[in-house]
Amino acid sequence: MPAVSKGDGMRGLAVFISDIRNCKSKEAEIKRINKELANIRSKFKGDKALDGYSKKKYVCKLLFIFLLGHDIDFGHMEAVNLLSSNKYTEKQIGYLFISVLVNSNSELIRLINNAIKNDLSSRNPTFMCLALHCIANVGSREMAEAFASEIPRILVAGDTMDSVKQSAALCLLRLYKTSPDLVLMGEWTSRVVHLLNDQHMGVVTAAISLITCLSQKNPDEFKTCVSLAVSRLSRIVSSASTDLQDYTYYFVPAPWLSCKLLRLLQCYPPPEDGAVKGRLVECLETILNKAQEPPKSKKVQHSNAKNAILFEAISLIIHYDSEPNLLVRACNQLGQFLQHRETNLRYLALESMCTLASSEFSHEAVKTHIETVINALKTERDVSVRQRAADLLYAMCDRSNAKQIVAEMLSYLETADYSIREEMVLKVAILAEKYAVDYSWYVDTILNLIRIAGDYVSEEVWYRVIQIVINRDDVQGYAAKTVFEALQAPACHENMVKVGGYILGEFGNLIAGDPRSSPLVQFNLLHSKFHLCSVPTRALLLSAYIKFINLFPETKATIQEVLRCDSQIRNSDVELQQRAVEYLKLSSIASTDVLATVLEEMPPFPERESSILAKLKKKKGPGAVSVTELEDSKRESGELNGAGERGPDPSVMAASNASTPSPSADLLGIRSAAPVSNAPASAGSLLVDVFSEAGPAASSGAVNDDGFLRFVCKNNGVLFENQLLQIGIKSEYRQNLGRMYLFYGNKTSVQFASFTTTVSCPGELQSHILGIVEPLVEGGAQIQQVLNIECLTDFSDAPLLNIKFRYGGALQNLTLKLPVTINKFFQPTEMASQDFFQRWKQLSQPQQEAQKIFKANHSMDTEVIKAKLLGLGMALLDNVDPNPENYVCAGVIQTKSQQVGCLLRLEPNAQAQMYRLTLRCSKDSVSKRLCELLAQQF
């Protein structure tokens, strides 16, 4: 950069700044600024033309005034005029003023762009750099439109100076981040990539920032950068500190460039070329070896630079997850940092080990550091380090150490920082559920969790323990005994009362034989907590009381007396009042048989993913990294899992058999689900949710297809749910015919008026609605509608369901996609291996095959994959594919006009977390459609 001559000191500017600093008050400062602004304005408007020095001085003063926080509404044109100066300092001040004060909507933008174009074409490197800096600083879309095609040419031109190339690369990066659609590399791609071979290290450092950003969005276009990056990294890593003197930082050669190269390589899978891969592995081993060498300097800058490269190298090793030797070495190196005196190093080591724990190659190596991590959890002063230690314990947990880790986390919870308690509670609950072999240990752990950190135990946690107890006969008695003992504590958390009320209401009879826990003792214990609880908990306890009347007739008089008292039947809360009145009446007029039927024990909950997992996934930070591992908890813990998304509703206890299922229930295999109530319920819990998961909220008007893809491999569930309405479906298909049961539930206490539904089908499907729904849907009621569907030929568009009704006088209009997809009409076909591959070869025309390679969106659990393929409707063929890891299926789609044979092959790659899905069908449109649908299920 040119030196500033003595005459450029701008004495007038220095005097003005000194005057401002010497002002004793804000008023004095404003007065001095206004005086200066008036002087500058008169100079700019005067007849006498100002020379470049004067313009520069006054523009500088305006810039300083603006930086003090005052508005500037003139001087822009003078700044633009400075751009045409041939003096560096004048042009510099002009560009600085424009970068700070001129917005993209300014009328002067065309003049500015012309001045920038002139400087870019001037071939003066100093002026070119100033112009590029201005473009990057403004970084607007208008700038991108004007210069995005020009800057790549400057970047790769052979005669461009190195300093200009650096500025051009970083300017292009800025424009790409703000307007990626305007920065199209096209023909420049290969030449930009080859900048990695540039002799000037500064150019390589700038270019690699640009290439990394471009590679993240367009990896295929820039994949040639991998070999060049490895080559450049190898030269740096193998060089001595004296080889790259200008770019050596405290005896570490080019640390920033090394980190950027390692980060670029993390955008791609391991190199396929054996020589390149070998060279890269050699580089990584060298970096790990250098970490073991004694430091060449005691300065903190040396260790920081060295460790920065080491951690990026470990991140790359973890990203590849294919070199067991490197993974174990990385783990051992991180283990040394766990006891380092530097807090930041301990934090980074814990964070990286969280990711290493999820690798099959390094999991055991990580576990060897369990005692060190537990000690860090107990003794670390910094809360962020303690949180990372808790995350690592969570990640390294397996069946061999689950009880130890859960015990340590529970112990830590008693003194844990408030900011991390909720997340800790979720993690303890998940680990206890996932690795529980002894169900009594699971119950003890969750109840202990509620005792220690009750305020942080979310509804999902206590819902979950109830669901699991209900689904496990062998733990129900133990759970009732344990919760009864827990309730005897003088200070008992409200969540413990909820769990106790629910479990004793269902299974109190299992411990009633002991005089110490007789029915009246149980009731009195629960009722002693009643007055201390919130309204929802009191509502649950009232439901438990009515259950007691069914379980223990001898308590009827006592409980009726409680229900009859004024504090219940005249309660100011309408929910509690309604329950008390209804339960009192029910216990008085219903016969023993009717009471036993209405208050029957809750049926097992349907199996689905734990809602605790879903909640933890929403948490940010490294602790959530290993959550994806636990998605298979449903399979690993087997019978442990019950329902998930929706917890046990207190009203369900009292109304589990309010009506009998429709005759179609047996055909659909839904006898295990809680029956649907058609009678209005109380305002607090108006519907009994019999479906497997909650539907998404959606707005009225446009077609809602949020729940559509969830039904490709299943037939029952909640299709839609918002604050007013819940729509569930149960469907069955045979040959080319289908029958769908639609359940509309009014979730409010207000009547729906003018309720109408219409179904529109594409031409390839025919539908017929059996019966018209009633135009009035009472608050809390649920009505059913049956839809018959016939498939005439293959199709891609789904039927649309339109629902209109009036709620509180306002018209509600909702359109949903009904989950009728082509795979619903599959007829499974069993085949031997020879027949399968013979048929596979027959379907060899290019248009008959559809193939897709995609990243796994869910856990690659074998049982889950099989369940989804079976849910698709095809026959899952065992011992057919030579590779036992692959899945093959066969089926025939039945339509009225024709039959379409389909073969499927799914090849999972657990190491890369990828799938290759291939479908061959006798009709090409079917192959493509099925491939699209299925690729989104795994």
Side-chain angles (χ1 to χ4, degrees), residues 831 834-849 901 903 920-923:
M831 282 187 178
Q834 183 179 353
D835 297 334
F836 178 86
F837 285 105
Q838 183 181 350
R839 181 63 178 149
W840 185 266
K841 289 176 183 176
Q842 289 171 357
L843 298 171
S844 58
Q845 295 180 24
Q847 66 269 25
Q848 293 177 322
E849 180 179 283
L903 301 177
R920 291 190 179 182
C921 302
S922 55
K923 194 165 184 182

Side-chain angles (χ1 to χ4, degrees), residues 911-929:
Q911 187 173 315
Q913 289 290 298
M914 302 280 285
Y915 288 101
R916 178 164 66 184
L917 172 66
T918 311
L919 277 143
R920 291 190 179 182
C921 302
S922 55
K923 194 165 184 182
D924 54 347
S925 58
V926 175
S927 307
K928 292 173 185 172
R929 180 59 179 154

Side-chain angles (χ1 to χ4, degrees), residues 17-75:
I17 293 173
S18 177
D19 289 349
I20 293 293
R21 287 178 176 171
N22 291 330
C23 289
K24 302 296 184 184
S25 64
K26 186 70 176 173
E27 290 75 16
E29 178 184 309
I30 292 172
K31 184 177 179 181
R32 179 67 183 90
I33 286 171
N34 287 337
K35 179 182 176 184
E36 191 64 39
L37 286 174
N39 177 51
I40 296 170
R41 199 185 298 269
S42 66
K43 295 288 185 183
F44 284 167
K45 286 185 176 180
D47 297 331
K48 187 179 177 182
L50 294 174
D51 60 9
Y53 170 80
S54 300
K55 279 185 188 176
K56 177 184 71 172
K57 179 177 68 174
Y58 293 133
V59 166
C60 248
K61 286 183 178 181
L62 290 174
L63 187 58
F64 179 71
I65 291 169
F66 176 78
L67 295 177
L68 287 175
H70 300 272
D71 291 333
I72 300 297
D73 56 2
F74 69 99

Side-chain angles (χ1 to χ4, degrees), residues 686-856:
L686 295 159
L687 290 176
V688 179
D689 185 358
V690 301
F691 304 111
S692 61
E693 53 191 77
S699 59
S700 304
V703 175
N704 183 297
D705 60 355
D706 290 350
F708 178 77
L709 289 172
R710 290 189 285 111
F711 288 86
V712 171
C713 295
K714 66 175 186 176
N715 290 333
N716 305 335
V718 171
L719 178 64
F720 171 81
E721 185 170 9
N722 63 11
Q723 291 82 1
L724 307 179
L725 179 68
Q726 182 191 66
I727 303 172
I729 62 167
K730 297 182 184 296
S731 50
E732 57 182 350
Y733 296 87
R734 290 191 181 87
Q735 302 291 328
N736 67 315
L737 302 175
R739 174 170 286 188
M740 182 178 288
Y741 297 85
L742 295 161
F743 300 90
Y744 306 101
N746 182 349
K747 293 177 65 177
T748 73
S749 56
V750 180
Q751 185 185 68
F752 289 167
S754 305
F755 191 92
T756 59
T757 63
T758 54
V759 175
S760 56
C761 280
E764 299 88 355
L765 290 173
Q766 276 188 358
S767 65
H768 176 61
I769 296 177
L770 302 181
I772 306 298
V773 294
E774 291 294 327
L776 296 178
V777 183
E778 298 296 333
Q782 198 165 42
I783 59 174
Q784 177 181 311
Q785 187 176 41
V786 182
L787 178 68
N788 283 346
I789 302 164
E790 182 178 10
C791 179
L792 305 179
T793 183
D794 65 282
F795 63 95
S796 57
D797 294 331
L800 297 179
L801 171 66
N802 180 256
I803 303 150
K804 292 180 182 177
F805 60 93
R806 290 194 173 275
Y807 170 75
L811 179 65
Q812 306 291 323
N813 186 5
L814 180 70
T815 303
L816 305 172
K817 265 190 182 181
L818 285 177
V820 181
T821 48
I822 187 66
N823 62 288
K824 300 297 183 185
F825 301 96
F826 259 127
Q827 187 76 25
T829 306
E830 295 291 339
M831 282 187 178
S833 178
Q834 183 179 353
D835 297 334
F836 178 86
F837 285 105
Q838 183 181 350
R839 181 63 178 149
W840 185 266
K841 289 176 183 176
Q842 289 171 357
L843 298 171
S844 58
Q845 295 180 24
Q847 66 269 25
Q848 293 177 322
E849 180 179 283
Q851 188 176 86
K852 192 162 189 177
I853 299 172
F854 54 94
K855 192 85 174 169

